[in-house]
Amino acid sequence: TTPLFTAAAGVDVAIDAPTGQDVLMTLGDNAAANKFSILDSDSVEVFAVDSNGAMTFSSLVVTGALTQTAGVVSISEDNSANAVGLANGTTARAVSIASSAAAHTVAIGSATGAASLDLKAGTGNFTLDGAATTTYSLFASTTSGTVSIGGTAQTGTMTLGDSSGTNIVQLGSGEGATTVNIA
């Protein structure tokens, strides 16, 4: 009976629809003012769907595929200090970010304050590549920082400008008073 149904202790509550039929619940508006809410035994909300379809979870575990097809995806934009992990499991997998044929703009990291960025590779090597006419700008905003290429005990070969085409290799070619030390 409405407005409240309470099952006796030790009895499950089940809503069973016949095959081919849906279970419908109608909320009191269509402007996100009302919601369908699931509470735990302490009356703490653990899941809610508002009348516009927005969902709120206290936590979410997806064991199958998760597909997002429209709208904005925001992850960890709540200003908390919680860690964010992506593909941190112990099984090797292919991880793709913006790797389709569309002209994506990808920004990773920040130049604000003490922000840092570590790019690392194991023995599988590291490749930085682009199209035939791509222009690469490295350290363009760095005016007083130090740029180091190669390790302090480097024993491998460092190659610069090793091309079969005609090219120009410039060292210290700016307008400042530059000292170039070679060997």
Side-chain angles (χ1 to χ4, degrees), residues 118-136:
D118 294 324
L119 294 177
K120 297 180 180 180
T123 57
N125 299 326
F126 180 90
T127 301
L128 176 64
D129 201 2
T133 58
T134 300
T135 298
Y136 298 88

PDB file of all heavy atoms in Angstrom, residues 118-136:
ATOM      1  N   ASP A 118      55.795  12.875 -15.360  1.00  0.00           N
ATOM      2  CA  ASP A 118      56.815  11.851 -15.580  1.00  0.00           C
ATOM      3  C   ASP A 118      56.351  10.948 -16.716  1.00  0.00           C
ATOM      4  O   ASP A 118      55.300  10.329 -16.619  1.00  0.00           O
ATOM      5  CB  ASP A 118      57.022  11.001 -14.323  1.00  0.00           C
ATOM      6  CG  ASP A 118      57.596  11.792 -13.168  1.00  0.00           C
ATOM      7  OD1 ASP A 118      58.429  12.676 -13.430  1.00  0.00           O
ATOM      8  OD2 ASP A 118      57.208  11.540 -12.018  1.00  0.00           O
ATOM      9  N   LEU A 119      57.132  10.877 -17.794  1.00  0.00           N
ATOM     10  CA  LEU A 119      56.885   9.932 -18.878  1.00  0.00           C
ATOM     11  C   LEU A 119      57.972   8.875 -18.801  1.00  0.00           C
ATOM     12  O   LEU A 119      59.163   9.208 -18.855  1.00  0.00           O
ATOM     13  CB  LEU A 119      56.940  10.634 -20.245  1.00  0.00           C
ATOM     14  CG  LEU A 119      55.862  11.663 -20.535  1.00  0.00           C
ATOM     15  CD1 LEU A 119      56.100  12.315 -21.897  1.00  0.00           C
ATOM     16  CD2 LEU A 119      54.484  11.039 -20.500  1.00  0.00           C
ATOM     17  N   LYS A 120      57.602   7.628 -18.667  1.00  0.00           N
ATOM     18  CA  LYS A 120      58.576   6.567 -18.489  1.00  0.00           C
ATOM     19  C   LYS A 120      58.274   5.415 -19.432  1.00  0.00           C
ATOM     20  O   LYS A 120      57.137   5.204 -19.821  1.00  0.00           O
ATOM     21  CB  LYS A 120      58.553   6.060 -17.040  1.00  0.00           C
ATOM     22  CG  LYS A 120      58.944   7.110 -16.024  1.00  0.00           C
ATOM     23  CD  LYS A 120      58.908   6.566 -14.618  1.00  0.00           C
ATOM     24  CE  LYS A 120      59.314   7.640 -13.624  1.00  0.00           C
ATOM     25  NZ  LYS A 120      59.282   7.149 -12.247  1.00  0.00           N
ATOM     26  N   ALA A 121      59.309   4.672 -19.782  1.00  0.00           N
ATOM     27  CA  ALA A 121      59.151   3.469 -20.581  1.00  0.00           C
ATOM     28  C   ALA A 121      60.126   2.425 -20.080  1.00  0.00           C
ATOM     29  O   ALA A 121      61.220   2.758 -19.614  1.00  0.00           O
ATOM     30  CB  ALA A 121      59.410   3.762 -22.058  1.00  0.00           C
ATOM     31  N   GLY A 122      59.733   1.173 -20.187  1.00  0.00           N
ATOM     32  CA  GLY A 122      60.628   0.077 -19.824  1.00  0.00           C
ATOM     33  C   GLY A 122      61.448  -0.337 -21.037  1.00  0.00           C
ATOM     34  O   GLY A 122      61.743   0.465 -21.920  1.00  0.00           O
ATOM     35  N   THR A 123      61.762  -1.623 -21.111  1.00  0.00           N
ATOM     36  CA  THR A 123      62.582  -2.123 -22.216  1.00  0.00           C
ATOM     37  C   THR A 123      61.808  -2.202 -23.528  1.00  0.00           C
ATOM     38  O   THR A 123      62.376  -2.553 -24.556  1.00  0.00           O
ATOM     39  CB  THR A 123      63.145  -3.517 -21.874  1.00  0.00           C
ATOM     40  OG1 THR A 123      62.046  -4.391 -21.589  1.00  0.00           O
ATOM     41  CG2 THR A 123      64.079  -3.436 -20.681  1.00  0.00           C
ATOM     42  N   GLY A 124      60.526  -1.846 -23.507  1.00  0.00           N
ATOM     43  CA  GLY A 124      59.738  -1.832 -24.730  1.00  0.00           C
ATOM     44  C   GLY A 124      59.962  -0.592 -25.572  1.00  0.00           C
ATOM     45  O   GLY A 124      59.332  -0.421 -26.609  1.00  0.00           O
ATOM     46  N   ASN A 125      60.840   0.300 -25.144  1.00  0.00           N
ATOM     47  CA  ASN A 125      61.254   1.504 -25.868  1.00  0.00           C
ATOM     48  C   ASN A 125      60.235   2.633 -25.760  1.00  0.00           C
ATOM     49  O   ASN A 125      59.116   2.458 -25.289  1.00  0.00           O
ATOM     50  CB  ASN A 125      61.582   1.215 -27.334  1.00  0.00           C
ATOM     51  CG  ASN A 125      62.719   0.238 -27.458  1.00  0.00           C
ATOM     52  OD1 ASN A 125      63.627   0.234 -26.646  1.00  0.00           O
ATOM     53  ND2 ASN A 125      62.667  -0.621 -28.462  1.00  0.00           N
ATOM     54  N   PHE A 126      60.634   3.813 -26.196  1.00  0.00           N
ATOM     55  CA  PHE A 126      59.829   5.031 -26.134  1.00  0.00           C
ATOM     56  C   PHE A 126      59.897   5.687 -27.503  1.00  0.00           C
ATOM     57  O   PHE A 126      60.981   5.889 -28.046  1.00  0.00           O
ATOM     58  CB  PHE A 126      60.404   5.975 -25.067  1.00  0.00           C
ATOM     59  CG  PHE A 126      59.657   7.273 -24.922  1.00  0.00           C
ATOM     60  CD1 PHE A 126      58.607   7.390 -24.028  1.00  0.00           C
ATOM     61  CD2 PHE A 126      59.996   8.381 -25.679  1.00  0.00           C
ATOM     62  CE1 PHE A 126      57.924   8.587 -23.879  1.00  0.00           C
ATOM     63  CE2 PHE A 126      59.325   9.582 -25.549  1.00  0.00           C
ATOM     64  CZ  PHE A 126      58.281   9.679 -24.644  1.00  0.00           C
ATOM     65  N   THR A 127      58.755   6.005 -28.096  1.00  0.00           N
ATOM     66  CA  THR A 127      58.706   6.617 -29.415  1.00  0.00           C
ATOM     67  C   THR A 127      57.922   7.909 -29.339  1.00  0.00           C
ATOM     68  O   THR A 127      56.837   7.948 -28.766  1.00  0.00           O
ATOM     69  CB  THR A 127      58.021   5.672 -30.432  1.00  0.00           C
ATOM     70  OG1 THR A 127      58.758   4.466 -30.491  1.00  0.00           O
ATOM     71  CG2 THR A 127      57.968   6.294 -31.801  1.00  0.00           C
ATOM     72  N   LEU A 128      58.483   8.968 -29.895  1.00  0.00           N
ATOM     73  CA  LEU A 128      57.782  10.239 -30.053  1.00  0.00           C
ATOM     74  C   LEU A 128      57.771  10.520 -31.541  1.00  0.00           C
ATOM     75  O   LEU A 128      58.827  10.702 -32.148  1.00  0.00           O
ATOM     76  CB  LEU A 128      58.504  11.355 -29.281  1.00  0.00           C
ATOM     77  CG  LEU A 128      57.942  12.769 -29.429  1.00  0.00           C
ATOM     78  CD1 LEU A 128      56.533  12.848 -28.868  1.00  0.00           C
ATOM     79  CD2 LEU A 128      58.845  13.772 -28.730  1.00  0.00           C
ATOM     80  N   ASP A 129      56.609  10.512 -32.160  1.00  0.00           N
ATOM     81  CA  ASP A 129      56.541  10.618 -33.608  1.00  0.00           C
ATOM     82  C   ASP A 129      55.302  11.388 -34.017  1.00  0.00           C
ATOM     83  O   ASP A 129      54.375  11.578 -33.229  1.00  0.00           O
ATOM     84  CB  ASP A 129      56.521   9.207 -34.219  1.00  0.00           C
ATOM     85  CG  ASP A 129      56.946   9.193 -35.676  1.00  0.00           C
ATOM     86  OD1 ASP A 129      57.290  10.258 -36.211  1.00  0.00           O
ATOM     87  OD2 ASP A 129      56.930   8.103 -36.278  1.00  0.00           O
ATOM     88  N   GLY A 130      55.267  11.849 -35.234  1.00  0.00           N
ATOM     89  CA  GLY A 130      54.122  12.581 -35.759  1.00  0.00           C
ATOM     90  C   GLY A 130      54.022  12.393 -37.255  1.00  0.00           C
ATOM     91  O   GLY A 130      54.585  11.459 -37.812  1.00  0.00           O
ATOM     92  N   ALA A 131      53.333  13.309 -37.918  1.00  0.00           N
ATOM     93  CA  ALA A 131      53.208  13.263 -39.369  1.00  0.00           C
ATOM     94  C   ALA A 131      54.491  13.785 -40.017  1.00  0.00           C
ATOM     95  O   ALA A 131      55.365  14.329 -39.348  1.00  0.00           O
ATOM     96  CB  ALA A 131      52.005  14.098 -39.807  1.00  0.00           C
ATOM     97  N   ALA A 132      54.595  13.659 -41.347  1.00  0.00           N
ATOM     98  CA  ALA A 132      55.802  14.075 -42.064  1.00  0.00           C
ATOM     99  C   ALA A 132      56.086  15.565 -41.907  1.00  0.00           C
ATOM    100  O   ALA A 132      57.236  15.992 -41.952  1.00  0.00           O
ATOM    101  CB  ALA A 132      55.670  13.717 -43.548  1.00  0.00           C
ATOM    102  N   THR A 133      55.074  16.387 -41.695  1.00  0.00           N
ATOM    103  CA  THR A 133      55.269  17.842 -41.601  1.00  0.00           C
ATOM    104  C   THR A 133      55.041  18.379 -40.192  1.00  0.00           C
ATOM    105  O   THR A 133      54.901  19.579 -39.997  1.00  0.00           O
ATOM    106  CB  THR A 133      54.314  18.561 -42.573  1.00  0.00           C
ATOM    107  OG1 THR A 133      52.970  18.199 -42.243  1.00  0.00           O
ATOM    108  CG2 THR A 133      54.624  18.179 -44.014  1.00  0.00           C
ATOM    109  N   THR A 134      55.014  17.512 -39.191  1.00  0.00           N
ATOM    110  CA  THR A 134      54.791  17.949 -37.818  1.00  0.00           C
ATOM    111  C   THR A 134      55.950  18.817 -37.324  1.00  0.00           C
ATOM    112  O   THR A 134      57.114  18.516 -37.577  1.00  0.00           O
ATOM    113  CB  THR A 134      54.639  16.733 -36.884  1.00  0.00           C
ATOM    114  OG1 THR A 134      53.521  15.957 -37.319  1.00  0.00           O
ATOM    115  CG2 THR A 134      54.414  17.158 -35.446  1.00  0.00           C
ATOM    116  N   THR A 135      55.633  19.906 -36.638  1.00  0.00           N
ATOM    117  CA  THR A 135      56.636  20.746 -35.993  1.00  0.00           C
ATOM    118  C   THR A 135      56.660  20.405 -34.507  1.00  0.00           C
ATOM    119  O   THR A 135      55.611  20.351 -33.865  1.00  0.00           O
ATOM    120  CB  THR A 135      56.297  22.239 -36.173  1.00  0.00           C
ATOM    121  OG1 THR A 135      56.308  22.534 -37.565  1.00  0.00           O
ATOM    122  CG2 THR A 135      57.298  23.122 -35.458  1.00  0.00           C
ATOM    123  N   TYR A 136      57.842  20.179 -33.951  1.00  0.00           N
ATOM    124  CA  TYR A 136      57.989  19.847 -32.540  1.00  0.00           C
ATOM    125  C   TYR A 136      58.612  21.031 -31.819  1.00  0.00           C
ATOM    126  O   TYR A 136      59.650  21.536 -32.234  1.00  0.00           O
ATOM    127  CB  TYR A 136      58.893  18.620 -32.360  1.00  0.00           C
ATOM    128  CG  TYR A 136      58.337  17.378 -33.001  1.00  0.00           C
ATOM    129  CD1 TYR A 136      58.618  17.090 -34.329  1.00  0.00           C
ATOM    130  CD2 TYR A 136      57.526  16.516 -32.298  1.00  0.00           C
ATOM    131  CE1 TYR A 136      58.101  15.965 -34.937  1.00  0.00           C
ATOM    132  CE2 TYR A 136      57.003  15.391 -32.892  1.00  0.00           C
ATOM    133  CZ  TYR A 136      57.291  15.109 -34.217  1.00  0.00           C
ATOM    134  OH  TYR A 136      56.771  13.996 -34.807  1.00  0.00           O
TER     135      TYR A 136
END
